[in-house]
Amino acid sequence: MKRIMYAVWTVLLLSTACQKNWNAHYSEEQQNASPLNLLEYLKSKPQYSEFVSKLEEFGLADELERDQSLTVWVVSNERMAALNSMEEDLKFVLSYHINSLMYDNTKLKSGLRVMTFNGKYLTVERAGEQVMVGDAQVLNGNQLCQNGVVHEVDQILTPDKSIYEYIEELGDDYSLIRDTLLAMNDTVFDLENSIPVGVDPTGNTVYDSLFVITNPIFDRVNFRSEFANVTMFMPSNQVITSCFDDLAELYDQFGKEFLREDTLKAYAWIKDAIFYNEVIESSFEEDIVSAFGKLWKPSVQLVDRDYKRMSNGRIYDITKLKIPNYEHIDMIKQLFHYYEFVPDAEKDALFTLNNVTRMQLNDDLTVGFPTLGIEVTYRTLHIHGDLDDGLPASIEFTPIMLEQKPDGSTGYKVVEVPPGEYNLYMGFRHTSHPFVNIYVDDVPVAEMLNVEPATPWHYDRSTNVVPGTRYNGWGGLVGPVVIDGDEVRSFKLTVEFAGLGKSSVERIIPYHWTLVPTENNY
């Protein structure tokens, strides 16, 4: 018990000693504080005379005598020459050197943002005893006065631009994103803050009118407000163009033309993915979600980690941009009867028939779609096996698509798709169709799959069809598949007889296949 009491007593003594040391230090700081107000103090220091002169010239000196706590970031005479060479409004620059509230040395911590007299935030960073404010280093800090504190810095402080101001001043290398964002602006009359000054002859109130800029993006992330603290990933024209070139090349590999609506969809994703309602640290590695709910994967989307500091956040320049597959690929779809366009000498390299007794192509059904002005003939492969041999008929094939040859004839090429997770859909001539097993790259996707019901298996007349029609749908869901690897590649699809169901013969009659990216397919 005595040992315990001794330990407690020792802790109390140490705590009291620490408190006394801190109180003594704090009292020493207070005792060293000048009884002069900020203006009087600065005038008493010859090395700050030019700074004081400029404050007086622009009507700011009186602020330092008021009954308020302020912080002044002072510049010595030998560093004041830079002020006159600045293109900015000098009063605006000088106002950036004063802020409300007293920020002594104990309060200057990394990440601190202080609002200055010109309405701009000043950012503080600290590494040990080194304190940076904006781009300036504090040389002689913590000069305490009767109504505040003075910190001498090694250069004139240049006010940071807001993200909005930076966008306004972007050059033509960034015209795509600049013009898109600014075109969304609207200038509206601010009735609440406008001042009535009279009445016109018709009896309407006349205002000393105030107008404000609105933009729908501001509702989610106000990159114009000085009170915001946000991050933007900035794409140049070159980055966007390269991104679209990659899309066009990718579409060509699975048989889709890169159309204007594809460009608009991709551009809408870019606009929604580049703004964040937080300051993103340069070391970020985890996936993040934008203010508009778009997923950004830093392992895929590449940025220059040397960010630009803004008065209301940060800007990172994008160096590589990719639209996520699930955002821009609606479906990858081809038909089985394209088999007939492959020369006989090349068929064996693409198609393997197992336990097949015969195969033929049939035009099963012709349907008109008056609202679309088109007519479609559903042409299918009929693959037959011998029910008595006990060996299931199957077709293994590398998916192909059609393309026009230089001489105008129809040829083919192998379909290649980006890696990732997809949902596989298929369609058949459903009537009395046997059960099937489906494999992708020899991996089972579905076993004993019943494709006899008309909905959703009847050709491509179900699931995400053209609105108001039964045209060009996905078909029935077979299951999820993963195309592995790091590069765009071909794959193998196998359809195998699995049981009679309502049928009396062993046959497979496939019409089409469709891959639809899942949300895991970035």
Side-chain angles (χ1 to χ4, degrees), residues 221-282:
V221 53
N222 195 347
F223 59 93
R224 189 169 185 266
S225 170
E226 290 295 337
F227 296 100
N229 203 13
V230 304
T231 298
M232 179 184 182
F233 297 130
M234 179 70 73
S236 67
N237 291 0
Q238 181 180 356
V239 165
I240 293 173
T241 301
S242 177
C243 174
F244 287 177
D245 288 344
D246 290 344
L247 286 181
E249 181 180 349
L250 175 63
Y251 280 26
D252 183 63
Q253 290 173 297
F254 57 76
K256 185 185 183 307
E257 187 179 357
F258 188 57
L259 304 173
R260 182 175 182 273
E261 52 261 37
D262 299 311
T263 301
L264 295 176
K265 181 187 293 186
Y267 204 76
W269 182 87
I270 294 173
K271 177 176 63 65
D272 288 348
I274 58 178
F275 287 108
Y276 296 78
N277 268 320
E278 59 180 313
V279 170
I280 307 296
E281 296 299 331
S282 59

Side-chain angles (χ1 to χ4, degrees), residues 42-95:
L42 290 174
K43 284 185 172 181
S44 73
K45 302 292 183 181
Q47 65 269 33
Y48 302 145
S49 60
E50 291 191 23
F51 183 81
V52 172
S53 176
K54 287 296 181 182
L55 293 182
E56 292 175 333
E57 179 182 345
F58 288 98
L60 295 170
D62 290 346
E63 294 291 338
L64 308 188
E65 294 184 298
R66 301 187 191 283
D67 184 17
Q68 56 186 335
S69 294
L70 302 176
T71 301
V72 179
W73 310 94
V74 68
V75 181
S76 62
N77 294 343
E78 64 269 22
R79 294 182 171 90
M80 282 296 294
L83 181 68
N84 295 323
S85 62
M86 300 181 75
E87 296 180 359
E88 288 89 347
D89 177 88
L90 296 189
K91 183 174 182 179
F92 185 76
V93 173
L94 288 166
S95 299

Side-chain angles (χ1 to χ4, degrees), residues 174-241:
Y174 292 84
S175 61
L176 289 175
I177 193 66
R178 178 197 67 198
D179 295 348
T180 296
L181 297 176
L182 297 182
M184 299 172 70
N185 284 353
D186 192 14
T187 303
V188 298
F189 173 58
D190 185 357
L191 176 61
E192 182 178 347
N193 293 301
S194 295
I195 301 173
V197 293
V199 178
D200 68 13
T202 63
N204 293 317
T205 304
V206 177
Y207 292 90
D208 181 3
S209 300
L210 179 66
F211 292 86
V212 295
I213 294 175
T214 63
N215 187 307
I217 296 178
F218 296 165
D219 295 337
R220 295 285 191 92
V221 53
N222 195 347
F223 59 93
R224 189 169 185 266
S225 170
E226 290 295 337
F227 296 100
N229 203 13
V230 304
T231 298
M232 179 184 182
F233 297 130
M234 179 70 73
S236 67
N237 291 0
Q238 181 180 356
V239 165
I240 293 173
T241 301

Side-chain angles (χ1 to χ4, degrees), residues 321-332:
L321 186 63
K322 178 187 183 295
I323 310 301
N325 292 332
Y326 68 81
E327 289 280 356
H328 70 91
I329 300 176
D330 292 326
M331 64 177 177
I332 303 172

